[in-house]
Amino acid sequence: MLESDEDENKINENQAQKRQIKIQEIDLDPERRLFEDELKKNFSREDIDHYFDLITNNNIISWENKLFESKLSIRDFSNVSDADILDEKSDDIKTIKIIKGDIDRTRVIESLYMNNFKEYEYQVLIYYINKNNISYKQGLNEICGPFILLKEKLKISFSQIYKIFVCFIDKFLTNYFHEKEFFSLRSGFSLINLLLRYHQPNLFHKFDLSLISPDLYATSWIITLFSNKCALSATYYLWDKLILFDDSLFPFFFIVALLIYNKDKFLDKNVDSSVILSILSNLRVDSIEEVNVLINLATEIRDKTPNSFYILSNKLEIFKYNSENLKTLYEEYKPDKMLAMPMFPNELFCILYRDKVGCPDENCENFLTNKKFNELSNCIFCRNNDLKKKIKKIIFDLRIFENESINNVDDSFPGYLPNTLRITHDELRDKNFPLNIIEKYKEDKDNYHFIIITSETSNFLGFEKDFYIEKERKVEKLGIYYKSDKQIDINKVKQKFDKNRGSKKEYLLLKEFDNFMKFIDELNRQEFKYVSYIYDGYKGIHSFAKKYKIDLLDHGKKCFLCKEEKRNSSKFSFW
């Protein structure tokens, strides 16, 4: 017997809708039906209802406002209707089978209490891949499912659900489901490693020693935005925060927060790689309280991260809709090979010349101004400005300058930045280098941000390949660039720099590279957090200062870059 006329009206409405719009039924095999019947015996409707208590129509309105305002320029939803979505079809039998299989595994318990959940999710997914002309990828079902379930509680149309679903993907998963070669995902893995190395080096090195990379544990976290690792209420709460934060990179901070929050489980000396992977695969976030703790930690991590992390993401075009340059940019910037957190020259100038540069984003209205940062600005760099990063910056200049011969160097440092510690040739030759430089910072190391300048650090990746040979991996290895892992191949160096064929400038650059490696290695060994290097080194600094007419100290006739430019030398000159 029906409890009310309202219930009867709901049933009649559903029946009429199914007759009017021919929804493709998703058949379950007998074993699957028995499985679902058993689940229903163990979970009551009351157990499920609390998942939906968090989300109201007001949340939906705020989601639409946040997501739509940034995506309307690239999306036209004017012709999307419920009938279009529910009437969409596919002739691809293989895709249909995969989607139906994934839907069977999507929010299994919660979906039991929504009429036609599987049919509705199937139609939205088919409509999405057809309209975007893409192949179906696993993970889409985990993003779509929670939005479909909202219809059970809220008076919300399918076209409205579809719009939110699409804009949510555009904002946080922009290219992951669209590109074929997964370079945006590979860039994402590199960003996780950079963050982990910067904020928790001991955990990064434990993972690296155990040969555990983000692709082994973070793939599902990224492409489902934790939907398959969170209770439904926690998923809604997390997604609500992500949308309101309006920060496409926040999921990466959240992932690193989750790792750091559980670091004691990984850093136990008795835990080997197989146990670490097991722990990682079983990590879950099942309460709103846990989400809150992780969001607070992720926010703290974000506020201590150089803005160059965002600049790097922009350069890689991870969140540029339908970018055609993902592979080219990944191969150009090589984020997977970066030796530490890169800092781009515009951020360094923002730190040292705040009265002239302002915001580090060259597209922001505060760039090259002395305006105060606006916490409510649309510019992510202004909102996450350097004033919030309460860490003292220590800038080391490791450049070596040529003189009359390879064995003579010049400590005059033509063209340098204020508040910079210029490491002399004698200090570099000291047998205790670099301990002689960093030892005094050890006691208070968590309160310093080390920034390293060389002639052109971005070129060092080539030297590692050319002049370094692999040694057998050792248990005491601390990092991928630690000196117990690699050593200079002396024969290659001699061959390259033979007296009759050698290049003095390249030789000096190689010496810089070796000093840079020693410096990074020792900071790793001492577990210093907050280590950066200037991407493009002094060459990038010089170019930025010249472009925006900012004077460098002692920048005169001895500047090698200026001399090279006057001689019209190769654009690839390092000096």
Side-chain angles (χ1 to χ4, degrees), residues 57-89:
N57 283 306
N58 288 333
N59 291 97
I60 300 300
I61 293 171
S62 66
W63 289 2
E64 289 177 332
N65 290 339
K66 275 289 185 183
L67 292 172
F68 291 1
E69 67 186 17
S70 61
K71 294 299 174 185
L72 279 178
S73 59
I74 61 173
R75 291 286 186 179
D76 181 8
F77 295 113
S78 59
N79 295 322
V80 177
S81 68
D82 285 20
D84 291 331
I85 296 170
L86 295 172
D87 224 13
E88 190 70 23
K89 292 179 174 57

Side-chain angles (χ1 to χ4, degrees), residues 469-480:
I469 56 175
E470 295 284 345
K471 292 180 67 178
E472 182 180 355
R473 280 182 84 91
K474 295 184 178 181
V475 174
E476 69 268 23
K477 176 180 178 293
L478 294 179
I480 197 165

Side-chain angles (χ1 to χ4, degrees), residues 345-346 349 357 362 367 540-548 550:
N346 39 331
F349 276 85
V357 177
E362 295 177 61
F367 182 66
I541 291 170
H542 185 273
S543 176
F544 188 93
K546 183 177 180 181
K547 181 177 180 180
Y548 295 110
I550 299 173

Side-chain angles (χ1 to χ4, degrees), residues 202-218:
N202 56 345
L203 186 55
F204 168 83
H205 296 312
K206 180 66 179 282
F207 282 8
D208 186 58
L209 175 62
S210 304
L211 301 178
I212 294 174
S213 53
D215 59 297
L216 298 179
Y217 62 83

Side-chain angles (χ1 to χ4, degrees), residues 44-163:
S44 68
R45 180 63 202 232
E46 288 72 25
D47 293 326
I48 305 301
D49 281 343
H50 76 278
Y51 290 141
F52 302 99
D53 292 340
L54 188 71
I55 304 300
T56 67
N57 283 306
N58 288 333
N59 291 97
I60 300 300
I61 293 171
S62 66
W63 289 2
E64 289 177 332
N65 290 339
K66 275 289 185 183
L67 292 172
F68 291 1
E69 67 186 17
S70 61
K71 294 299 174 185
L72 279 178
S73 59
I74 61 173
R75 291 286 186 179
D76 181 8
F77 295 113
S78 59
N79 295 322
V80 177
S81 68
D82 285 20
D84 291 331
I85 296 170
L86 295 172
D87 224 13
E88 190 70 23
K89 292 179 174 57
S90 174
D91 297 325
D92 188 335
I93 303 301
K94 183 179 178 180
T95 296
I96 291 172
K97 184 177 180 180
I98 294 173
I99 292 177
K100 288 181 178 180
D102 283 352
I103 290 174
D104 279 346
R105 294 185 290 272
T106 304
R107 291 293 171 188
V108 175
I109 297 173
E110 298 94 332
S111 66
L112 295 177
Y113 294 91
M114 177 178 180
N115 292 330
N116 304 320
F117 169 82
K118 292 179 173 61
E119 290 85 349
Y120 292 152
E121 182 171 20
Y122 172 84
Q123 290 302 137
V124 171
L125 290 175
I126 287 293
Y127 189 81
Y128 178 74
I129 64 175
N130 285 352
K131 295 305 176 186
N132 287 276
N133 194 29
I134 61 173
S135 59
Y136 172 77
K137 291 185 177 69
Q138 291 180 313
L140 274 170
N141 58 306
E142 297 288 356
I143 298 294
C144 184
F147 292 120
I148 297 294
L149 287 167
L150 288 175
K151 187 166 178 60
E152 181 71 359
K153 180 185 178 185
L154 305 176
K155 296 294 183 181
I156 181 172
S157 67
F158 280 108
S159 57
Q160 203 173 0
I161 288 174
Y162 177 77
K163 292 173 188 176

